[in-house]
Amino acid sequence: MAREAALAACLEAVLGSRSSANRVFELLEPLAGQEEPEDIVSAARTCSRLFGALLERRELFVGLLPEQDASLGESYSAQDKYRIWMRHRYGDCVRCLGELMGHDAFQVKELALCTLMKFVELEAQYPLIKIEWKGTLTFPCDLLKVVVDGLLPTTEDASLLISRFQEYLEYDDVRYFVMKAVTASIGQVMQKTKERPLPFYQQNVFSLISPINMPNKESEMVRFMVKQDNREELKFSKLQAHKQVFEKMWLTFLKHKLPPGLYKKVLVILHDSVLPYMNEPTLMMDFLTVAYGIGGAISLLALNGLFILMHQHNLEYPDFYKKLYSLLDPSIYHVKYRARFFHLTDLFLSSSHLPAYLVAAFIKRLARLALTAPPEALLMILPFICNLFRRHPACRVLLHRPAGPADMSEDPYVMEEEEPSESRALQSSLWEVQSLQNHYHPDVAKAAAVLSQTLSEMEDDISGLLELSASELFDREVKKKAVDVPLEFEQVRGLFGKKNDIFAEHFSLD
Amino acid sequence: SNPFEVKVNRQKFDILGRKTKNDVGLPGVSRSKAIKKRNQTLLKEYKEREKTNVFKDKRFGEYNTKITPEEKMIRRFTLERQQNYGKKNIYNLNEDEELTHYGQSLAEIEKLNDIVDSDSDTEERGTLSAELTAAHFGGGGGLLRKKVSSEQQDEEEEKPKSRKELIEEMIAKSKQEKQERQTRRENALELTEKLDKDWKEIQTLIARKTPKSERKDKEVEKPKPDEYDMIVRELGFEMKAKPSERLKTEEELAKEEQARLQKLEADRLRRMRGIDEEANKKRPNHMSADDLADGFILDKDDRLLLCYKDGKINIENEEEKEEEGEEEEDEEGEEEDNENEEESQEESASEDEEDDAADGHSDLESDHESEGEAAENKEEKKHKAKENESQNVEKLDPKREAAKSELPYTFAVPESYETFKSLLAGRTIEQQLIILERIQKCNHPSLAVGNKAKLEKLFGFLLEYIGELATLDLPELRTIDKLVLPLYNLCQMFPEAASDSIRFILRDAAHDLEEVIEVKGRATFPGLDMLIYLKIVSLLFPTSDFWHPVVTPAFTYMSQLLTKCRVTTLQDVIKGLFICCLFLEYVSLSRRFVPELINFLLGVLHISLPKSQAQGYTVVHPFTPVGKNLELLLVCDKEDLKSWEKQNVPLSIVTRLKETSKTEINHTRLSCLALCFDLIKKGAVLYESLPSFHEIMHPVRILLTQHIPVNEYPEKMQEWYHSALKELENKVKHYTPLICEKKKPVPLKQYTPKIVKVLEFGRKQAGSKKEQERKQLIQRHKRELKGAIREIRKDNQYLARMQLSEIMERDAARKRKVKELLGSLATQEGEWKAMKRKKWKN
């Protein structure tokens, strides 16, 4: 308390008369970061009040700041000398606060961020840059750069602080300059590392830029921090300029190698919140093609962005279906992004102009892989295959081949073949589905049995089945009401007492 | 009406029973109606098409149908008064309101009040009553008046009753009637019961005493019955005493048992294929092995294997109970007899009473005899069973006697799990079993009403108890092993309750699993209790059914376990293998395909290999080709490899974290591996008939042949390995192309008429209900569409007519005006010319 009282007195004195201006150092001293968090907090509050007042009174030097030593000797008036000196103290304060954003205590970090943003707001209102002509940009870009650098530490996860910062990104001009600052920051930081990924830094950048909410129309851009009269002429009020900066930022970010986890996260949001706001979405082509070539889950995710590029921006992707075909491996039925992948695959295979051999290869491969799939995936893939048969009646030979050779010693289909046209799928039959008719889950068995009958004309709607999860399946089973419960008629003789009990052979009750 | 305005729609055939609405049409009337309607609606709209201001009717309650006209008037009146109230002329100080009644000044009425009253009174006194006039003068005015007045009354009374109220009244009335009927029936029942009771009281008298006394009297009255008759009757009675069924020989019993098992097996197969699930709903009742299948039902369930050995008191108890049972049965028999007698009385009303009575009595006796025989049979059987049981038990436990004497003989069913636990706590296995058995015996559902619910609860308690035993640090699996028996018996008694409680446990477990996945992103295997529960499911319920209320959820749950749970420790591997065993056991009869099983076994083989092996196969979730938790089953120590002996894995490992030596752990690993080989072998045997057997087993085969270091394994292990591999390899590859099931050919259209049963006239019967509904909807839509099109067309015609008439009117007006103008111009011209001429003249 005493400390706070002292600080308050100090503030009074500095604001009261210029003669006690030197007591500013008393205020700045605790900001160096060695003190207890509470002290730092109170000091930062006082500083914010002091420089806020000074900014409002315009008692800080405006224009290009001369060196502190140089200013003393030269022909400035005493008034100017004071203002230059105070401006230097202000600079010290900002630097200290920027450093405090890396403090251990979140309380301090948050306060430093808020104070800096308050300065940004005030500086925007009472610019420290001399307005030489009407179009001069008065936004304090340098100060914002300090904030952005503070938000993006290279050694720790700052997502909490970044989420606190989100509210400022609602301002269109702040967003514009933050995007610029981020672009610059990435350039600087990644330059040094030489293609080595910096997991924390990149994670921070991602959490800063992924929630950026771009406006859809120019008329939506009405929230500005700086109220400038000539706003319409300025760059940052144009949607086009925003998009350009946005695009540049993302491209700079994606230029560098990403850690695998982040790669997936980027791909998940890419089609939704990045591609629509780019001036030239085709610039993402390289990134997506590379991602598509990586394999595994990353390829599955890249599919979505690629689809948008192909569908809306005329991207020509050679051997697309071959690549898609090679993406099918046993893990597709087990991965998290199953619903998304099959939704897109359904879209890709919905064209009626696809050759029959290709569709047959897809069917056969999906069915083969289904032999290792869990029931919830099977319930989805079986109607999926039914739909493919409906769209491409030429493939029905897989189900119905009355004039074929009676016995074969080998399945003609070659699973290992990468090229769908070489896989000889059309000469094969869908024995996998026949096996699945013996599946233990009654619904799966029924779904598989549908294929051995003549298919109806109407396509099944699989959109509801895509997201089916194992627990939903279980709930569905458990909720079914039974009229009566059949019972085992064999009398029990103990836990492992059945005839030929497998357990009795391998487990003991000890 | 005018016959020229009627259009008759001629019908080709007269069809009986069909009501026709549209046989006569009145085109003129309907047209004028339509035009009038359009005048009111369409024309109005048309005329106001460019007008934006609207007419608002602000009269109070004008369109409110809820309030009656009188009320409306009153409210309007009050409103008006309220409006006028404040706006009084301020200069008019002594303005009096004149109160009116029906528009007449009340003051005036008051003045004339008496006179008017007396007048009317006298008038009324003078008039004849309505009935009188009706009777004497044929009604006339009087009748009319009465009708009017009664109508008014009706209106007054029934106006407030809305349709809803009427319906409610009706419902109330019907309910009341129903109740009355019920009470009447109950009364009747009571009466009959009372009569029966009375009859029973008297019956003994009739049967034993009266006949003798009466007989004497009757002997006097009537001549001696004919000897022939006597013989005939005797013969008749003898016929009634049928011989009891002979005891069956061993062979016959065996044959019957076999037939019974065959039937049950056939039932099971039917359910397995999942066909006609609906068709045969009958549940096969449990039948004991000693059942004679003669429809004789024990009123008491004593199928427990274990019983008490030194059971003097018990046997007495039993006998007492049996006697009670007999008595009950006797009573029942008597009742039946009574009925018989009544019938016979009715039939042979002419016959003498003596014979009648004798009749009844002998009937009774013979029945008694047969009952007795049956009871004897039963007793014998029970004795036999008991002997067998006691022999069994004798072998089981010699030192039971000492402990037994301490146990009470009757138990109430515990109400809560805690009391149940305290009942069993500290007892030996045998004692626990005895307690459970006694609880069941003492509270058999046939003994009291609430017992069923109590015993159903007992099943849940027992399950919970088993779960608790399994989660102990040192799981008491031996106890569980024994407790399964009473569990099975209870389940046989109450299948629904048992299935419900097991499903409840499964649901809880599944939800827990789901939560863990949501929170942590990965799941862990459940405790031993769940594994035991799953095993118990396979003991209690048939696992081969196509769909089963308990088994199918259990399947889904196990599938989740095998796909979602991470395998991070040796315990996890053992649990996983246990579930694999469960899967194999579940599908051992139905041979259903379980992909998760093969995946998991593949994964287990994978983690028994050293890292960085060349791959020709893919493992799926939860196993990863690279990363942590590999080499869980890898054993490198040569010593351990040598010293390994195949041993059964003790289940207690699963809960007890072992601090045993490395050698033992290695041995357990090897046992797991051997188990895995064995499971692969069994799986291969099971699935050999699947058409894509080779595709399913392909990764396993690659792993076995190319990656497993067979030569390093001990000989025993090599045996396991080779037997598994043999099963995989010696299957012939055999593929036949698929052929779709043939669709039923659509029959050609023929000229013979399709005959459809007509149950109700005017309705088509063909098709299912759904189909009918659809057809109806389509038809209705069609009709509506046609109607709408016609209406629109008529509207357009009407509008065109209106427009035309407007134009004509306008044209006519214009013509008229032009004519007028021209006329005036002509007169002007004429006048001007006349003037000119005049000037000329001048």
Side-chain angles (χ1 to χ4, degrees), chain B residues 457-493:
Chain B
K457 253 193 216 164
L458 185 69
F459 183 87
F461 295 153
L462 201 53
L463 265 188
E464 207 177 333
Y465 185 60
I466 286 175
E468 203 173 296
L469 288 182
T471 41
L472 290 178
D473 273 349
L474 217 97
E476 294 187 30
L477 293 167
R478 295 273 170 212
T479 319
I480 294 174
D481 189 31
K482 291 282 180 290
L483 284 177
V484 170
L485 302 175
L487 203 63
Y488 176 79
N489 289 328
L490 280 171
C491 178
Q492 294 286 345
M493 284 163 86

Side-chain angles (χ1 to χ4, degrees), chain A residues 330-331 334 368 370-376 378 398-402 404-411 416 429-432 434-436 438-442 445-446 451-454 469-471 473-475 477-496 498 501-510, chain B residues 264-265 271 281 283 477-478 481 484-485 488 491-492 495-496 499 503 506-507 510-511 514 532 535 538-542 545-549 552-553 555-557 559-560 564 574 578 581-582 584-585 592-596 599 618 620-621 646 648-652 675 678 682 690-692 695-696 733-741 743:
Chain A
S331 63
H334 296 267
R368 180 65 66 82
L371 289 176
T372 61
E376 63 271 14
L378 285 173
L398 286 182
L399 293 176
H400 186 62
R401 194 190 301 277
D407 276 344
M408 284 183 267
S409 63
E410 199 71 44
D411 190 345
E416 288 74 24
S429 274
L430 219 54
W431 290 288
E432 289 84 359
Q434 206 183 15
S435 303
L436 286 175
N438 270 324
H439 196 269
Y440 68 89
H441 199 283
K446 274 183 207 158
L451 276 166
S452 69
Q453 283 147 12
T454 324
S469 75
S471 55
L473 203 61
F474 179 83
D475 282 344
E477 274 318 316
V478 141
K479 273 177 194 153
K480 272 188 196 165
K481 283 268 176 277
V483 183
D484 69 345
V485 186
L487 292 173
E488 179 68 49
F489 55 81
E490 200 182 317
Q491 174 82 35
V492 290
R493 291 182 198 79
L495 206 52
F496 295 164
K498 272 195 175 177
D501 200 303
I502 310 168
F503 295 93
E505 282 178 48
H506 297 285
F507 291 100
S508 68
L509 286 170
D510 294 319
Chain B
L264 286 174
E265 179 65 17
R271 291 200 309 264
K281 281 279 176 188
R283 172 168 57 89
L477 293 167
R478 295 273 170 212
D481 189 31
V484 170
L485 302 175
Y488 176 79
C491 178
Q492 294 286 345
E496 275 83 19
S499 83
R503 279 201 305 189
L506 282 175
R507 202 178 55 207
H511 286 179
E514 182 65 11
I532 297 288
K535 174 67 189 159
S538 78
L539 294 176
L540 298 185
F541 301 103
D545 288 9
F546 184 70
W547 182 82
H548 189 282
T552 310
F555 261 125
T556 347
Y557 177 61
S559 142
Q560 281 193 52
K564 298 263 170 75
I574 294 171
F578 191 91
C581 285
L582 277 171
L584 269 182
E585 194 192 341
R592 297 197 198 288
F593 173 44
V594 187
E596 292 88 341
N599 290 347
T618 3
V620 293
H621 206 75
K646 165 73 179 135
N648 288 358
V649 183
L651 276 181
S652 50
L675 168 58
D678 191 38
K682 291 206 162 97
L690 288 184
S692 37
E695 283 76 32
I696 292 167
K733 284 193 178 180
H734 178 75
Y735 297 92
T736 40
L738 292 181
I739 290 178
C740 265
E741 281 170 29
K743 204 167 46 170

Side-chain angles (χ1 to χ4, degrees), chain B residues 416-431:
Chain B
S416 70
Y417 176 63
E418 277 68 36
T419 48
F420 176 76
K421 223 175 92 181
S422 62
L423 206 61
L424 295 188
R427 309 271 190 188
T428 60
I429 304 175
E430 288 75 21
Q431 281 175 335

Side-chain angles (χ1 to χ4, degrees), chain A residues 291-344:
Chain A
Y292 192 47
I294 284 181
I298 292 178
S299 297
L300 299 189
L301 289 171
L303 212 52
N304 216 336
L306 268 186
F307 170 67
I308 290 179
L309 290 189
M310 287 164 67
H311 183 228
Q312 293 165 4
H313 303 282
N314 282 334
L315 172 68
E316 185 86 3
Y317 194 96
D319 290 338
F320 176 78
Y321 281 99
K322 186 185 160 193
K323 188 81 189 125
L324 185 66
Y325 182 71
S326 68
L327 274 186
L328 303 178
D329 68 354
S331 63
I332 51 163
Y333 291 122
H334 296 267
V335 287
K336 238 195 305 186
Y337 313 107
R338 188 184 69 206
R340 196 175 156 123
F341 175 70
F342 279 101
H343 168 70
L344 286 171

Side-chain angles (χ1 to χ4, degrees), chain B residues 443-445 448-457 493-494 496:
Chain B
N443 299 285
H444 195 271
V449 180
N451 280 354
K452 186 163 180 269
K454 284 184 193 166
L455 284 183
E456 281 175 359
K457 253 193 216 164
M493 284 163 86
F494 314 110
E496 275 83 19

